[in-house]
Amino acid sequence: MSFVCNHLAIIMDGNGRWAKKKGLPRSAGHQAGTEAAKRIVTACRKMGMQYVTLYAFSRENWSRPREEINFLFDLLVRFLSQELNMLVEQSIRLNILGNWEEMPFAVRQAIKHACAKSRAGKEMVLNMALNYSGREEILQACRNLLKQDLDPADLNEQVFRDQLFTAGQADPDLIIRTSGELRLSNYLIFQSAYSELYFTPTLWPDFDEEELHLALEDFKKRERRFGRVERIE
Ligand code: FPP
């Protein structure tokens, strides 16, 4: 039996190393990484995936040099304005995971505009994790629930999930991390409980449709039991 991947989440890692290998500045790696992101979003949409989630800026990324952060924000603003038509034409709704209100004015404006314009998208959701921390997401959910004076007996998984940035969405079926690092780095901590994980040494700017197919082929071979025993010999 093969499984369908409805929600693919990606940790796009290795832009800096890609640039270094080529003797280019880190910014060139991020630029090439953005091209890779466009390729993969388009490919996923063609495949009929329902959710694609990209880790574009973690809360921990604020500790990078100011110049690099500014470059990443400029790239993001450009990406959102240049790809907005594509998102609307392809019926892709943009959704942000993370505390994006803490980002600079230009980024906030671009996010608001792109989310509003793509709101009617029905075919796929593109989640972009921005200023995102999985642990902070869980703490925020707790804070919200405490404010609601919820009876502890009424707290169940569904009630909790409704407070997450991914409320109403299916959990990721597959999480891909590029560049050979073998960890989740605070990504979708609650939602990844039963996600399949795929790690590849390929650096993100080199990740293409062929690599995506390899990952999905690998995923299809997995036996997903969600803790159940399917048959007793
Ligand atoms: C990791 O590479 C990547 C990031 C910090 C952010 C991801 C950003 C992009 C792919 C570009 C922006 C994307 C969009 C869609 C606008 P790294 O810098 O950590 O690489 P390294 O570990 O090799 O140094």
Side-chain angles (χ1 to χ4, degrees):
M1 181 178 177
S2 72
F3 294 95
V4 179
C5 182
N6 276 326
H7 186 165
L8 171 67
I10 309 181
I11 303 177
M12 310 179 286
D13 199 4
N15 294 347
R17 277 162 283 169
W18 181 90
K20 194 171 178 195
K21 256 176 54 185
K22 292 188 159 2
L24 297 169
R26 290 178 61 80
S27 54
H30 293 314
Q31 181 76 56
T34 306
E35 296 306 315
K38 289 183 205 169
R39 282 199 299 271
I40 297 308
V41 169
T42 308
C44 290
R45 169 68 184 83
K46 259 196 268 166
M47 284 176 204
M49 235 173 256
Q50 285 179 336
Y51 305 97
V52 172
T53 302
L54 301 178
Y55 209 172
F57 193 83
S58 73
R59 202 177 57 159
E60 290 69 29
N61 285 154
W62 287 104
S63 60
R64 292 188 176 214
R66 192 69 232 182
E67 201 180 81
E68 180 169 345
I69 294 176
N70 288 342
F71 186 83
L72 282 169
F73 290 167
D74 283 350
L75 260 186
L76 179 65
V77 170
R78 255 183 288 150
F79 173 84
L80 291 178
S81 87
Q82 287 170 3
E83 300 310 313
L84 187 52
N85 280 344
M86 180 278 283
L87 296 180
V88 173
E89 276 162 22
Q90 304 276 313
S91 189
I92 300 173
R93 178 165 68 84
L94 178 73
N95 182 56
I96 308 297
L97 315 182
N99 294 318
W100 60 273
E101 307 83 1
E102 294 167 9
M103 300 185 83
F105 180 75
V107 178
R108 296 199 310 266
Q109 289 300 103
I111 288 173
K112 272 192 219 162
H113 183 65
C115 285
K117 289 271 174 203
S118 67
R119 210 172 58 188
K122 295 258 181 300
E123 294 301 320
M124 190 174 99
V125 173
L126 171 61
N127 288 316
M128 289 189 75
L130 291 171
N131 192 21
Y132 177 82
S133 150
R135 287 181 176 172
E136 181 56 30
E137 179 181 33
I138 291 171
L139 290 173
Q140 256 169 243
C142 295
R143 282 186 211 112
N144 292 344
L145 290 167
L146 287 170
K147 274 190 236 153
Q148 291 172 19
D149 261 340
L150 187 78
D151 184 332
D154 292 333
L155 176 58
N156 56 40
E157 209 175 292
Q158 194 50 52
V159 168
F160 194 80
R161 280 175 179 280
D162 288 344
Q163 299 300 326
L164 298 174
F165 292 120
T166 48
Q169 300 188 8
D171 285 340
D173 297 296
L174 175 66
I175 300 181
I176 296 176
R177 183 172 191 152
T178 57
S179 92
E181 309 291 347
L182 307 178
R183 57 182 172 272
L184 285 179
S185 299
N186 211 1
Y187 194 40
L188 304 169
I189 296 302
F190 187 91
Q191 299 88 334
S192 62
Y194 284 101
S195 302
E196 295 294 326
L197 308 178
Y198 181 85
F199 299 102
T200 169
T202 302
L203 302 173
W204 176 248
D206 291 328
F207 196 87
D208 56 13
E209 264 191 82
E210 202 182 318
E211 294 271 351
L212 176 64
H213 281 114
L214 285 179
L216 291 170
E217 280 309 309
D218 190 90
F219 167 78
K220 282 180 192 161
K221 288 189 215 129
R222 312 268 179 107
E223 200 187 330
R224 302 187 79 198
R225 291 195 299 272
F226 300 94
R228 292 187 301 260
V229 174
E230 297 293 347
R231 64 199 142 92
I232 298 171
E233 308 282 339

